Amino acid sequence: MRILLINPNTSRAMTAKIADAARGVAGPDVVVDAVCPAVGASAIESHVDEVAAAAAVVELVAADRDGPAPADAYVIACFGDPGLDAARELVDAPVVGIAEAAMHLAAVSGRHFGVVTTLSRTLGRARDLVGRYGMDRACVSLAATGIPVLDLEDTGSAAVATIERFAAGAASGGADVIVLGCAGMADLCAELTARVGVPVVDGVAAAVGMASGMVRMGLGTSKRDEYARPPRAFVSGGATPPPPSADVEVFA
Amino acid sequence: MRILLINPNTSRAMTAKIADAARGVAGPDVVVDAVCPAVGASAIESHVDEVAAAAAVVELVAADRDGPAPADAYVIACFGDPGLDAARELVDAPVVGIAEAAMHLAAVSGRHFGVVTTLSRTLGRARDLVGRYGMDRACVSLAATGIPVLDLEDTGSAAVATIERFAAGAASGGADVIVLGCAGMADLCAELTARVGVPVVDGVAAAVGMASGMVRMGLGTSKRDEYARPPRAFVSGGATPPPPSADVEVFA
Amino acid sequence: MRILLINPNTSRAMTAKIADAARGVAGPDVVVDAVCPAVGASAIESHVDEVAAAAAVVELVAADRDGPAPADAYVIACFGDPGLDAARELVDAPVVGIAEAAMHLAAVSGRHFGVVTTLSRTLGRARDLVGRYGMDRACVSLAATGIPVLDLEDTGSAAVATIERFAAGAASGGADVIVLGCAGMADLCAELTARVGVPVVDGVAAAVGMASGMVRMGLGTSKRDEYARPPRAFVSGGATPPPPSADVEVFA
Amino acid sequence: MRILLINPNTSRAMTAKIADAARGVAGPDVVVDAVCPAVGASAIESHVDEVAAAAAVVELVAADRDGPAPADAYVIACFGDPGLDAARELVDAPVVGIAEAAMHLAAVSGRHFGVVTTLSRTLGRARDLVGRYGMDRACVSLAATGIPVLDLEDTGSAAVATIERFAAGAASGGADVIVLGCAGMADLCAELTARVGVPVVDGVAAAVGMASGMVRMGLGTSKRDEYARPPRAFVSGGATPPPPSADVEVFA
Amino acid sequence: MRILLINPNTSRAMTAKIADAARGVAGPDVVVDAVCPAVGASAIESHVDEVAAAAAVVELVAADRDGPAPADAYVIACFGDPGLDAARELVDAPVVGIAEAAMHLAAVSGRHFGVVTTLSRTLGRARDLVGRYGMDRACVSLAATGIPVLDLEDTGSAAVATIERFAAGAASGGADVIVLGCAGMADLCAELTARVGVPVVDGVAAAVGMASGMVRMGLGTSKRDEYARPPRAFVSGGATPPPPSADVEVFA
Amino acid sequence: MRILLINPNTSRAMTAKIADAARGVAGPDVVVDAVCPAVGASAIESHVDEVAAAAAVVELVAADRDGPAPADAYVIACFGDPGLDAARELVDAPVVGIAEAAMHLAAVSGRHFGVVTTLSRTLGRARDLVGRYGMDRACVSLAATGIPVLDLEDTGSAAVATIERFAAGAASGGADVIVLGCAGMADLCAELTARVGVPVVDGVAAAVGMASGMVRMGLGTSKRDEYARPPRAFVSGGATPPPPSADVEVFA
């Protein structure tokens, strides 16, 4: 089977890193491809970035679906799970977000988990997802390390040490399991597990595991009503806003 | 004060209708302008449409903010409240979604309300918003009439009668107040109130009322952390997907 | 339009102060009147006081309704929102509590808010209201300053400084917005916003804004079932308990 | 020990009936007295009535506390549990509401219960109490029979048959236990249990059982903070509203 | 009436202590018996112990039910309430768990309670019970003292002092009432109440009070559906696992 | 890798059927073994049966762990997930319940799911698990077909048709996905998906997918605190209760 990883930011280095992490944990019957948009946000660190990321996910999933060999499953490799509902409308195959997958597996690994993520301004989105996935009881902490996403492109010891510190704090505060709150942390998972002493979950690996399990058992996205094919193709105004005279009519 | 209504679909007829409804309930000190995107979804009826709508909201709010006379408040005139969090990052002024405003005022008008909306596939999004705004107890029903959004451009008797039927059903099922689940229903509010016998809330009017009250008391959007200015401007791939060779790198 | 503010304690100085605060933020088409009971609790600082306050609200709303020029909307100017449900039974006009209004607008101004109030013994009531209004996710802190209500009649620097300290603590603990938990703090709102650096919401101003918006859009209290006119007029035993022989029959 | 039952409506016939029901299930070491107010609401069927009932509870508990032989526990014999928090401030002894007691015992008797009460307009209050007591999962139905409270003074076959019908409906809809939603139904409990075939809980009996158990184990009302003695005695405007010139100052 | 206390661990000393505590608070019409299993866990301090405890409860309740004079009510005297649902299937009489009873009465004694228990590894189970009994709002803290259950067999000053310290911490953190999280603490309740200054609830006493109240009012376990007699008698593999060849078939 | 399926009832036919279903969806690198107890409940259809099932799970997991080649993951193949917490204490490997796994994957496949299970008396347990796993929003219906578990040993057309009818009812009532509420239905999953037209999830397949994904990514059970090795081995009284004189001491 073929799984397509979608990194909705424009960092090719991070996309390659995520693909490596996914391949390391995929079963022998799984091929992992990875894509990222050519134009878009360089990192997903705000709600405005999330909107750009959602647009990129929609465009990349639709392009793959309409290509010669559509994937058997799609993984959205950004912790905000941008465009998840929209992508589910586009395909019959399973679509799995990495926040979603990480939380579901963390809840099986232990009673309570803590999320360790990048910038504090993204915590609101993370908390929304905790609620959406029914993890209000399971998730006992959300912590921001202050590390910008792109500092994770080339992970140096500083980032690992900082993440370890927050992860250890979460564990001593009641988290049985740590969830890494950024796809860019995927390569740090094994080292952090060893250092912190409790299981550490990378969402990319979790999503690949869930998605491949779903493909093997023939479980895709329900096309009943909400996730049925959408009534029209995605069209958006584009990167350069057109001049107001043409684009925006003011009804004053 | 000046309030900018943002209709994120491309229907100019609907934008004009919404603007009229808003002006009818605005205070004497309020000027209402309305805009819609030149390129985008013709109606917001799916999660894919929601992504396009969010992109339109971001672009239109940023354009107004950077224009000669930015608005004192922004109203997102689409019941999915697309792009609400992102718009709040962009400005210091209040940003009010019509679903949000309708639910807050409905909860003051009566104990329980019911939402009557367009297509059943949009109910998932509506339910998410009910949860986000803390209305799980207040909202006792969500009903889809099956009326497509664009059938509301020119409201004929058929649409009113259908909406009335669902609203009356909600009232007899325990809803003290009816919330109209589409900006395109704004002009029907008074007639439906008279027909159904319980208060009917149009989100456009509700949002204008909340936003103008916030402006008068000097209450804008908190810029602390989550809604602080975002780290980069909005850039998205555009309406026409670039060719795969340029846009999408496959890390196979 | 005419809005009647009801201060359910007997402090005329505080009633005048609240009226001034309300008039400062009312639209040009709004007349604000304010009343307080002649007999009752001098401050609302306990559940026993809340019962007296609810009785005062019922009596004052009924008296206004039966007077020559009933108000177009009623605001209950006490943070416990005493008598809110009962007042809604009495009139067709909107009835807005200041806790309710402050929380609804705070939730539009930012993601999370904190309440800063007077005595710790009132926190239970405040928490009940947080739950009733669906604000369990939005409200991240409730803090008591220890300032008695009547110390707020003539606000000196000590009270402002104390409230500022608690508000700043709430902001640094995750509150994007501060809600003032006592009508007697209404005149401090602007100064506190400036000092603390995040929006501060006074419920009196918030309620006037919501109520006037509701009047302009023709939205009153739903009279369906729960808030229909009550089956009998309010009668209570009065300030001086009658002698047991007459008033209380013991069935021993 | 002595338990004082407080019926907050003015019906002496109902007070006597409630006292009889309580005595039938009290332990051999329990004396049950019952009181009702001389002036007040003849039945508690609206939020306005609830305010009068709360005032009556406060006055009657305070009078008993200040009398020669204060009770060892107080039971508020009205299903809205009016004045419960206020009464807890007044005494060190346990204060138990009949809705509260009925729900706690119903949750021990079976997994799910249904409430069968009087008028539909009281369901909002009942639902509030379900939430307050943490019974959102346990309570699976709330049904109003349409029987006015005072029709229960002299229970005829019509009322029993109607209640039985609603109770049977609740049981077939998933209720393992039926909670009677009015103190005036206390004498029907045994007959209804026999007829419906599932346990039927009368709150008066439940409250006497809980209260006497608490007295025996030395468990009273916590006086920490919220329920500490209130800062001032209860004073309210009284049954006859004073003339506006004296009572109500309008700050216009 | 006769109440049977079931201590599901094998400590006869603790069983005797629990029985004494129960008798001290039982009404004059109540006979209290107590049993414990001959074979099983010596203390209930893990989920594995909980499984053994549930098996013991099932066997002891069934044995009493089939004996010459079945009890009128059963109390499960272990804070995990092991086997509660299963025991309810076995008898028509009330079955009350001590965690359940303690939480229900604590919620009547004050607004918020804190639980003080033995080992931290049992907190997950305690939190589950808080959720099951609807106490998420009422329970504000769960604290583990680190005291092993069997150290409570002979209570020395060290245990009391440690529990007092945690109880005082809970009270200063917002708990109006303390719930003792182990049947083995039953004899310390009065002394702790005196030392800590807020009500302290022992679940054994609470359960005896609730159970005897239920018996007096004729309220047993609902036999509708879920708690109807089970389809087969309890049979389990026993203390010594049989050899794999006979007992376990591997379908490899 | 090797996964051990534990069927906690004594039906060897059902154990073989479950093993077949699991093998059909396991990856090429997965070996599936299956066991069931020699002594215990023939079907798990009551809370008493659940206690026996939990004891069987504990004994079978411990036996495998202490055997020559412990499994890499354990699946509890009974929809009540009996003994799940206890099994997690016993091993470092992942332990996955089939109810848990089915609900997690159903929530990824669609927005809302419905459970279709065997006897109505088991719905209480199913609802508890829905709450425990955070699925209160995702799960929109729980339906009992009335089919006893052992009727599923040899699935005839009657059972399939009945299950299809309930599944179709759930789908038309809002379920995007159907969860089969009994391990004995595992072989019907594909046929039901085809018949009902929405995804149908068998928990055995789901658990094998989740467990094998966890093994590949090195994610086991957190051993922090709650799931650390238990303080003593499992000992229970056994199938034949010892005579009262030896086993049960009555402290009368």
Side-chain angles (χ1 to χ4, degrees):
Chain A
M1 88 184 74
R2 177 177 170 258
I3 293 179
L4 183 66
L5 288 188
I6 296 165
N7 171 20
N9 74 30
T10 57
S11 167
R12 295 184 177 207
M14 192 170 286
T15 309
K17 187 167 82 166
I18 293 169
D20 282 347
R23 284 173 195 133
V25 301
D29 53 342
V30 179
V31 172
V32 173
D33 286 339
V35 294
C36 68
V39 175
S42 56
I44 312 303
E45 297 176 320
S46 68
H47 293 292
V48 166
D49 290 340
E50 287 278 343
V51 174
V57 166
V58 167
E59 292 180 336
L60 293 169
V61 168
D64 183 83
R65 179 199 62 187
D66 297 338
D72 296 294
Y74 297 86
V75 167
I76 300 176
C78 173
F79 200 75
D81 290 355
L84 181 61
D85 285 319
R88 284 185 177 147
E89 292 177 334
L90 294 171
V91 294
D92 296 355
V95 182
V96 184
I98 65 167
E100 166 181 61
M103 293 186 202
H104 285 301
L105 290 197
V108 171
S109 173
R111 178 76 76 140
H112 294 121
F113 64 82
V115 176
V116 177
T117 188
T118 55
L119 302 187
S120 62
R121 65 180 302 148
T122 69
L123 291 174
R125 174 77 182 169
R127 204 171 285 116
D128 281 353
L129 295 181
V130 166
R132 167 164 179 173
Y133 303 137
M135 300 291 164
D136 288 308
R137 277 179 172 268
C139 178
V140 293
S141 60
L142 287 158
T145 58
I147 302 173
V149 170
L150 293 180
D151 282 17
L152 296 166
E153 274 189 327
D154 291 302
T155 311
S157 60
V160 177
T162 302
I163 297 168
E164 179 192 354
R165 185 158 46 84
F166 280 89
S172 70
D176 303 309
V177 180
I178 303 300
V179 166
L180 297 178
C182 180
M185 298 174 181
D187 55 337
L188 309 177
C189 188
E191 185 172 351
L192 285 165
T193 297
R195 288 196 190 187
V196 181
V198 301
V200 177
V201 181
D202 160 46
V204 177
V208 168
M210 289 188 84
S212 56
M214 291 174 77
V215 171
R216 283 189 204 101
M217 66 194 278
L219 181 61
T221 297
S222 175
K223 304 313 289 181
R224 202 193 74 90
D225 205 19
E226 180 170 359
Y227 293 144
R229 289 295 169 93
R232 64 192 65 81
F234 177 72
V235 181
S236 139
T240 310
S245 60
D247 182 27
V248 178
E249 179 161 2
V250 177
F251 296 80
Chain B
M1 88 185 73
R2 176 177 171 258
I3 293 179
L4 184 65
L5 288 188
I6 296 165
N7 172 20
N9 74 29
T10 57
S11 167
R12 295 184 177 207
M14 192 170 286
T15 310
K17 187 167 83 166
I18 293 169
D20 282 348
R23 284 173 195 133
V25 302
D29 53 342
V30 179
V31 173
V32 174
D33 286 338
V35 294
C36 68
V39 176
S42 56
I44 313 304
E45 297 177 320
S46 68
H47 293 292
V48 167
D49 290 339
E50 288 279 343
V51 174
V57 166
V58 167
E59 291 180 337
L60 293 170
V61 168
D64 182 82
R65 179 200 61 188
D66 298 338
D72 296 293
Y74 297 86
V75 167
I76 301 176
C78 173
F79 199 75
D81 290 355
L84 182 61
D85 284 319
R88 284 187 176 145
E89 291 176 336
L90 294 172
V91 293
D92 296 355
V95 182
V96 185
I98 66 167
E100 166 182 59
M103 292 186 201
H104 284 301
L105 290 196
V108 170
S109 173
R111 179 75 76 138
H112 295 119
F113 65 82
V115 176
V116 177
T117 187
T118 55
L119 303 185
S120 61
R121 65 179 302 148
T122 69
L123 292 175
R125 174 75 182 171
R127 204 172 285 114
D128 282 352
L129 296 181
V130 165
R132 168 164 178 173
Y133 302 137
M135 300 292 163
D136 288 309
R137 278 178 171 267
C139 179
V140 292
S141 60
L142 286 158
T145 58
I147 303 174
V149 170
L150 293 180
D151 282 17
L152 295 166
E153 273 189 329
D154 291 302
T155 310
S157 59
V160 178
T162 302
I163 298 169
E164 179 192 355
R165 184 159 46 85
F166 280 88
S172 70
D176 303 310
V177 180
I178 303 301
V179 166
L180 298 178
C182 180
M185 298 174 180
D187 54 337
L188 310 177
C189 189
E191 184 172 351
L192 285 164
T193 297
R195 288 196 190 187
V196 181
V198 302
V200 178
V201 181
D202 160 46
V204 177
V208 168
M210 290 188 83
S212 55
M214 291 175 76
V215 172
R216 283 190 203 101
M217 66 193 278
L219 181 62
T221 296
S222 175
K223 305 312 290 179
R224 201 193 74 89
D225 206 18
E226 181 171 358
Y227 292 144
R229 290 294 170 95
R232 65 191 65 81
F234 178 72
V235 181
S236 139
T240 311
S245 60
D247 183 27
V248 178
E249 178 160 5
V250 177
F251 296 80
Chain C
M1 90 185 72
R2 175 177 171 260
I3 293 179
L4 183 65
L5 288 189
I6 296 164
N7 172 19
N9 74 29
T10 58
S11 166
R12 295 184 176 207
M14 192 170 286
T15 309
K17 186 166 83 165
I18 293 169
D20 282 348
R23 284 172 196 135
V25 301
D29 53 341
V30 179
V31 172
V32 173
D33 286 339
V35 294
C36 69
V39 175
S42 56
I44 312 303
E45 296 175 321
S46 69
H47 292 292
V48 167
D49 290 340
E50 287 278 343
V51 174
V57 165
V58 167
E59 292 181 335
L60 293 170
V61 168
D64 183 83
R65 180 199 62 188
D66 298 338
D72 295 295
Y74 297 86
V75 167
I76 300 175
C78 174
F79 200 75
D81 290 355
L84 181 61
D85 285 320
R88 285 187 175 144
E89 292 176 334
L90 294 172
V91 293
D92 296 356
V95 181
V96 185
I98 66 167
E100 166 182 60
M103 293 186 202
H104 284 301
L105 290 196
V108 171
S109 173
R111 178 76 75 137
H112 295 120
F113 65 82
V115 176
V116 177
T117 188
T118 55
L119 303 186
S120 62
R121 66 180 301 150
T122 69
L123 291 174
R125 174 77 182 170
R127 205 172 284 116
D128 281 353
L129 295 181
V130 166
R132 167 164 179 173
Y133 302 138
M135 300 291 163
D136 287 309
R137 278 179 170 269
C139 178
V140 293
S141 60
L142 287 158
T145 58
I147 303 173
V149 170
L150 294 181
D151 282 17
L152 295 166
E153 274 189 327
D154 291 301
T155 311
S157 61
V160 178
T162 302
I163 297 168
E164 178 192 356
R165 186 158 46 84
F166 280 89
S172 70
D176 304 309
V177 181
I178 303 300
V179 166
L180 298 178
C182 179
M185 298 174 181
D187 55 337
L188 309 177
C189 188
E191 185 171 351
L192 285 164
T193 297
R195 287 197 191 187
V196 181
V198 301
V200 177
V201 182
D202 159 46
V204 176
V208 167
M210 290 187 84
S212 56
M214 291 175 76
V215 171
R216 284 190 202 102
M217 66 194 277
L219 181 62
T221 297
S222 176
K223 305 312 290 180
R224 201 193 73 88
D225 205 17
E226 180 170 358
Y227 292 144
R229 290 295 170 94
R232 64 191 65 81
F234 178 73
V235 181
S236 137
T240 310
S245 60
D247 181 29
V248 178
E249 177 159 7
V250 177
F251 296 80
Chain D
M1 88 186 75
R2 175 177 172 260
I3 294 180
L4 183 64
L5 288 189
I6 296 165
N7 171 21
N9 74 30
T10 57
S11 167
R12 295 183 177 208
M14 191 169 287
T15 309
K17 186 166 83 166
I18 293 169
D20 282 348
R23 284 173 196 132
V25 300
D29 52 342
V30 179
V31 172
V32 174
D33 286 338
V35 294
C36 69
V39 175
S42 55
I44 313 303
E45 295 176 322
S46 69
H47 292 292
V48 166
D49 290 339
E50 287 279 344
V51 174
V57 166
V58 167
E59 292 180 337
L60 293 170
V61 168
D64 184 82
R65 179 200 63 189
D66 297 339
D72 296 293
Y74 297 86
V75 168
I76 301 176
C78 173
F79 199 75
D81 290 355
L84 181 62
D85 285 318
R88 284 187 177 146
E89 292 177 334
L90 294 172
V91 293
D92 296 355
V95 182
V96 185
I98 65 167
E100 166 182 60
M103 293 187 201
H104 284 301
L105 290 196
V108 171
S109 173
R111 179 75 76 138
H112 295 120
F113 65 81
V115 176
V116 177
T117 188
T118 54
L119 303 186
S120 61
R121 66 179 303 149
T122 69
L123 291 175
R125 174 77 181 170
R127 204 172 285 115
D128 282 352
L129 296 181
V130 165
R132 168 163 179 174
Y133 302 138
M135 299 291 164
D136 288 309
R137 278 178 171 269
C139 177
V140 292
S141 60
L142 287 158
T145 58
I147 303 173
V149 170
L150 294 181
D151 282 17
L152 296 165
E153 274 190 328
D154 291 302
T155 310
S157 61
V160 177
T162 302
I163 297 169
E164 179 193 355
R165 185 159 46 84
F166 280 88
S172 70
D176 303 309
V177 180
I178 303 300
V179 166
L180 298 178
C182 179
M185 299 174 180
D187 54 336
L188 310 177
C189 189
E191 184 172 352
L192 285 165
T193 297
R195 287 196 191 187
V196 180
V198 302
V200 177
V201 182
D202 160 46
V204 177
V208 167
M210 289 187 84
S212 56
M214 291 174 76
V215 171
R216 283 189 204 101
M217 67 193 277
L219 181 62
T221 297
S222 175
K223 305 312 289 180
R224 201 194 73 90
D225 205 18
E226 181 171 357
Y227 293 143
R229 290 294 170 97
R232 64 191 64 81
F234 177 73
V235 180
S236 139
T240 310
S245 60
D247 181 28
V248 177
E249 177 161 4
V250 177
F251 296 80
Chain E
M1 89 185 73
R2 175 177 172 260
I3 294 180
L4 183 65
L5 288 188
I6 296 164
N7 171 22
N9 75 30
T10 57
S11 167
R12 296 184 176 208
M14 191 169 288
T15 309
K17 187 168 81 167
I18 292 168
D20 283 347
R23 284 174 196 130
V25 301
D29 53 342
V30 179
V31 172
V32 173
D33 285 339
V35 294
C36 69
V39 175
S42 56
I44 313 302
E45 296 176 321
S46 69
H47 292 292
V48 167
D49 289 340
E50 287 279 343
V51 174
V57 166
V58 167
E59 292 180 336
L60 292 170
V61 168
D64 183 83
R65 179 200 62 186
D66 297 338
D72 296 293
Y74 297 86
V75 167
I76 301 176
C78 173
F79 199 74
D81 290 355
L84 181 62
D85 285 319
R88 285 188 176 146
E89 292 177 334
L90 294 172
V91 294
D92 296 355
V95 181
V96 185
I98 65 167
E100 166 181 59
M103 293 187 202
H104 284 300
L105 290 197
V108 171
S109 174
R111 178 75 76 137
H112 295 120
F113 65 82
V115 176
V116 177
T117 186
T118 54
L119 303 185
S120 62
R121 66 180 302 148
T122 68
L123 291 175
R125 174 78 182 169
R127 205 172 284 115
D128 282 353
L129 295 181
V130 166
R132 168 165 179 172
Y133 302 138
M135 300 291 163
D136 288 308
R137 278 179 171 268
C139 177
V140 292
S141 61
L142 287 158
T145 58
I147 303 173
V149 169
L150 293 181
D151 282 16
L152 296 165
E153 275 189 328
D154 291 299
T155 310
S157 60
V160 177
T162 302
I163 297 168
E164 178 193 355
R165 185 158 46 84
F166 280 88
S172 70
D176 303 308
V177 181
I178 303 300
V179 166
L180 297 177
C182 180
M185 299 174 180
D187 55 335
L188 309 176
C189 189
E191 184 171 353
L192 285 165
T193 297
R195 287 197 191 186
V196 181
V198 301
V200 177
V201 182
D202 160 46
V204 176
V208 168
M210 289 187 84
S212 56
M214 291 175 76
V215 171
R216 284 190 203 101
M217 66 194 276
L219 181 62
T221 296
S222 174
K223 304 313 288 180
R224 201 193 73 89
D225 205 19
E226 181 170 358
Y227 292 143
R229 290 295 169 95
R232 65 192 63 81
F234 179 73
V235 180
S236 143
T240 310
S245 60
D247 180 28
V248 178
E249 177 160 3
V250 176
F251 295 81
Chain F
M1 88 184 74
R2 175 178 172 258
I3 293 179
L4 183 64
L5 289 188
I6 296 164
N7 171 19
N9 74 30
T10 58
S11 166
R12 295 183 177 208
M14 192 170 286
T15 309
K17 188 167 81 166
I18 292 169
D20 283 348
R23 283 173 196 132
V25 301
D29 53 342
V30 179
V31 172
V32 174
D33 286 339
V35 294
C36 69
V39 175
S42 56
I44 313 303
E45 296 176 319
S46 69
H47 293 292
V48 166
D49 289 340
E50 287 279 343
V51 174
V57 166
V58 167
E59 291 179 337
L60 292 169
V61 168
D64 183 83
R65 179 200 61 188
D66 298 338
D72 296 293
Y74 297 86
V75 167
I76 301 175
C78 174
F79 199 75
D81 289 355
L84 181 62
D85 285 318
R88 285 188 176 144
E89 292 177 334
L90 294 172
V91 293
D92 297 355
V95 181
V96 185
I98 66 166
E100 165 182 60
M103 293 187 201
H104 284 300
L105 290 197
V108 171
S109 174
R111 179 76 76 137
H112 295 120
F113 66 80
V115 176
V116 177
T117 188
T118 54
L119 303 186
S120 61
R121 66 179 301 148
T122 68
L123 291 175
R125 174 77 182 169
R127 204 171 285 117
D128 282 352
L129 296 181
V130 166
R132 167 164 179 173
Y133 303 138
M135 299 291 163
D136 288 308
R137 279 179 170 268
C139 178
V140 293
S141 60
L142 287 158
T145 58
I147 302 173
V149 170
L150 294 180
D151 281 18
L152 296 165
E153 274 189 327
D154 290 302
T155 311
S157 59
V160 178
T162 302
I163 298 169
E164 179 193 354
R165 185 159 46 85
F166 280 89
S172 69
D176 303 310
V177 181
I178 303 300
V179 166
L180 298 178
C182 179
M185 298 174 181
D187 55 337
L188 309 177
C189 188
E191 185 173 351
L192 285 165
T193 296
R195 287 196 190 187
V196 181
V198 302
V200 178
V201 182
D202 160 45
V204 177
V208 168
M210 289 187 84
S212 56
M214 291 175 76
V215 172
R216 285 191 203 100
M217 66 193 279
L219 180 62
T221 296
S222 176
K223 304 313 290 179
R224 202 193 73 88
D225 206 19
E226 180 171 358
Y227 293 143
R229 290 295 171 94
R232 64 191 64 80
F234 178 73
V235 181
S236 135
T240 310
S245 59
D247 182 28
V248 179
E249 177 159 6
V250 177
F251 295 82

